[in-house]
Amino acid sequence: MKAVMFFLAVAGAGWGVWWKIDGKVDRVKTEADKKFADLSEEAKKAREDLAEHKLHSAETYITKQGLRETTDQIMSAIGGVKTAVENMTLRVDRIVENQSKQPRSTRAG
């Protein structure tokens, strides 16, 4: 009888320990599933944000080729302004030369 009681006590203690461990494992599984769902949702949101940023960048910023074309257009416009200024300088020089060649009238007093 003592042997049976000892066996039942050991079995009961073993079952109690197993019950506690199983409860903790279930709790950890539930928490892990919840965290996984949260992280999965955050990853989905991050992918959507990245896609939106890529689209914004593509719509807003210029490519290297576009920048090169724009720079070429600006430089040709600056070249046109330079040519116009040079022509204006030549005209001013001619006006000044023509004024200095004209005889001055002297008044005798």
Side-chain angles (χ1 to χ4, degrees), residues 12-64:
W15 181 81
V17 169
W18 177 258
W19 179 67
K20 286 280 199 182
I21 291 173
D22 190 44
K24 287 185 180 184
V25 167
D26 286 343
R27 192 172 336 120
V28 168
K29 268 188 192 178
T30 304
E31 290 173 6
D33 287 343
K34 186 180 181 311
K35 281 188 179 184
F36 178 75
D38 291 344
L39 291 174
S40 178
E41 188 65 32
E42 285 180 29
K44 181 180 176 184
K45 177 71 172 136
R47 281 192 297 270
E48 291 172 358
D49 289 346
L50 179 61
E52 287 176 15
H53 177 69
K54 284 181 179 180
L55 179 62
H56 171 74
S57 296
E59 290 174 344
T60 304
Y61 299 105
I62 192 166
T63 63
K64 287 183 181 180

Side-chain angles (χ1 to χ4, degrees), residues 62-80:
I62 192 166
T63 63
K64 287 183 181 180
Q65 179 63 30
L67 179 61
R68 190 173 302 120
E69 291 173 3
T70 303
T71 303
D72 290 343
Q73 290 173 357
I74 291 170
M75 293 308 290
S76 66
I78 290 173

